[in-house]
């Protein structure tokens, strides 16, 4: 009996190793494809350093309304000077000779990973497929498509909406005698880590859909554990030192859990209706 249990376990390890090898090779190829685009990606994540973001546009439109309707308030608080001071040229800095090269490698790896996400999720599917029914195995294309799109939506949501908020908040502490001096590695590592986190956060509804269809979880179970989900979201966010980053991670993470609850309610596996007494007697 022990040998029968050990052999399947070893087979699973061999299967896992083969899937990981395919994923690593795919990521390396994706890294090569994204290498030439990494400077453009760095330029995109550097853009909030200028202070010219969608938040500046919102602030500009609000100040224009204030100037039009309440000119005295506009003059009193010198809102024109405040807006003009938010936009300036800021540069990232590095202190090690090969630091820019290694940063380019990191950006290329993350970008390459995102490029080959369909292959990554397909390998994950192949690893778990032996435990699925024939009908469930046919869902490979929807699974790979949905997981890839969800991850990309999470990453883009962070880069476009959340990242400018974090950087603008950091730059708001600039004053006379206090100037920002961002390190290249720290800046990029922080951004890349949060891209992965938000991508995984947006995978929660897909995971809930799969588990609910397989019967491992249901709407009642997820709804009953909302308080624990909120606590878990706070614990995950607490690994980041500043309160703003903790907040912008905790809120989307819990919101995705709420979406997962409703996904389980709408698409979850239905329990068969109990048989009537006449049917049972027959």
């Amino acid at each position: 009996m022990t040998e029968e249990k050990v052999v399947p376990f070893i087979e699973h390890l061999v299967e896992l190793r083969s899937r990981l090898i395919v994923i690593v090779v795919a990521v390396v190829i994706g890294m090569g494809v994204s290498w030439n685009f990494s400077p453009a990606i760095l330029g995109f994540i550097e853009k909030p350093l200028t202070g010219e973001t969608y938040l500046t546009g919102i602030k500009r439109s609000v100040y224009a309304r204030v100037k039009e309707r309440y000119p005295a308030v506009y003059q009193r608080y010198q809102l024109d000077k405040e807006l003009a001071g938010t936009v300036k040229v800021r540069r990232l800095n590095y202190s090690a000779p090969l630091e820019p090269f290694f940063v380019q490698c990191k950006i290329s790896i993350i970008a390459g990973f995102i490029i080959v996400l369909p292959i990554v999720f397909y390998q994950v599917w192949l690893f778990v497929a032996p435990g699925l029914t024939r009908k469930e195995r046919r869902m490979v294309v929807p699974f790979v498509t949905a997981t890839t799109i969800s991850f990309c939506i999470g990453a883009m949501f962070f880069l476009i909406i959340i990242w400018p908020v974090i950087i603008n908040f950091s730059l708001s502490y600039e004053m006379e005698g206090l100037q920002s001096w961002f390190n290249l590695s720290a800046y990029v590592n922080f951004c890349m880590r949060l891209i992965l986190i938000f991508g995984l956060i947006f995978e929660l509804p897909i995971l809930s859909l799969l588990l609910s269809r397989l019967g491992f979880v249901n709407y009642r179970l997820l709804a009953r554990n909302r308080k624990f989900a909120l606590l878990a979201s706070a614990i995950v966010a607490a690994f980041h030192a500043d309160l703003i980053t903790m907040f912008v991670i905790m809120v989307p993470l819990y919101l995705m859990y709420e979406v997962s609850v409703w996904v389980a309610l709408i698409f979850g596996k239905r329990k068969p209706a109990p048989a009537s007494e006449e049917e049972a007697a027959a």
Side-chain angles (χ1 to χ4, degrees):
M1 181 68 68
T2 305
E3 292 182 358
E4 293 178 357
K5 291 181 179 179
V6 171
V7 172
F9 178 72
I10 294 176
E11 290 178 354
H12 285 310
L13 289 180
V14 172
E15 177 73 10
L16 178 61
R17 184 187 66 177
S18 63
R19 300 302 168 198
L20 289 176
I21 290 174
V22 174
I23 290 174
V24 170
V25 172
V27 171
V28 171
I29 295 174
M31 176 183 175
V33 173
S34 61
W35 180 266
N36 292 329
F37 302 102
S38 55
I41 298 173
L42 177 60
F44 184 82
I45 65 178
E46 275 186 298
K47 192 174 180 180
L49 286 176
T50 63
E52 185 64 42
T53 63
Y54 74 94
L55 297 172
T56 311
I58 294 173
K59 186 184 292 187
R60 188 177 290 113
S61 62
V62 170
Y63 286 1
R65 289 282 186 89
V66 173
K67 183 179 181 180
E68 179 182 349
R69 298 186 178 183
Y70 311 102
V73 174
Y74 185 86
Q75 294 295 333
R76 179 179 179 182
Y77 291 98
Q78 299 180 337
L79 298 182
D80 54 339
K81 293 183 179 179
E82 181 180 344
L83 187 61
T86 59
V87 180
K88 64 173 66 174
V89 177
R90 300 178 181 89
R91 302 292 185 187
L92 294 176
N93 304 276
Y94 66 92
S95 55
L98 294 178
E99 188 174 348
F101 170 76
F102 289 116
V103 167
Q104 187 175 5
C105 290
K106 293 175 185 177
I107 295 174
S108 300
I109 291 174
I110 300 300
F113 173 77
I114 295 175
I115 289 174
V116 300
L117 275 178
I119 298 176
V120 173
F121 288 127
Y122 181 64
Q123 294 302 312
V124 173
W125 180 270
L126 290 179
F127 181 72
V128 301
L132 305 177
T133 64
R134 181 177 298 180
K135 183 178 180 180
E136 291 167 345
R137 291 175 190 173
R138 297 174 184 172
M139 299 297 293
V140 56
V141 174
F143 168 78
V144 171
T145 304
T147 49
T148 302
I149 292 175
S150 297
F151 191 98
C152 292
I153 290 175
M156 293 306 297
F157 173 78
F158 166 73
L159 282 175
I160 296 174
I161 305 298
I162 303 299
W163 184 238
V165 174
I166 295 175
I167 299 303
N168 274 27
F169 177 78
S170 178
L171 295 177
S172 67
Y173 282 92
E174 286 188 341
M175 62 183 70
E176 187 176 354
L178 184 61
Q179 179 67 36
S180 61
W181 194 260
F182 290 105
N183 175 262
L184 175 64
S185 293
Y187 186 88
V188 172
N189 290 344
F190 185 56
C191 181
M192 295 294 109
R193 183 174 72 249
L194 289 177
I195 286 175
L196 294 177
I197 289 174
F198 272 81
L200 293 176
I201 286 174
F202 275 66
E203 296 290 351
L204 284 179
I206 306 299
L207 180 62
S208 173
L209 174 62
L210 287 176
L211 295 178
S212 61
R213 293 300 298 173
L214 294 174
F216 292 112
V217 300
N218 55 49
Y219 166 76
R220 292 184 181 85
L221 176 64
L222 294 177
R224 190 168 59 246
N225 291 287
R226 279 189 170 103
K227 56 184 178 182
F228 298 108
L230 182 60
L231 177 62
S233 301
I235 292 174
V236 171
F239 285 98
H240 296 80
D242 58 288
L243 291 176
I244 296 299
T245 307
M246 290 171 58
F247 181 78
V248 299
I249 290 177
M250 187 180 108
V251 172
L253 182 55
Y254 182 74
L255 288 178
M256 285 298 104
Y257 182 85
E258 285 294 332
V259 173
S260 301
V261 173
W262 289 100
V263 166
L265 173 64
I266 298 172
F267 300 104
K269 188 176 182 180
R270 306 295 181 185
K271 291 184 178 181
S276 61
E277 294 182 0
E278 296 180 357
E279 292 176 349

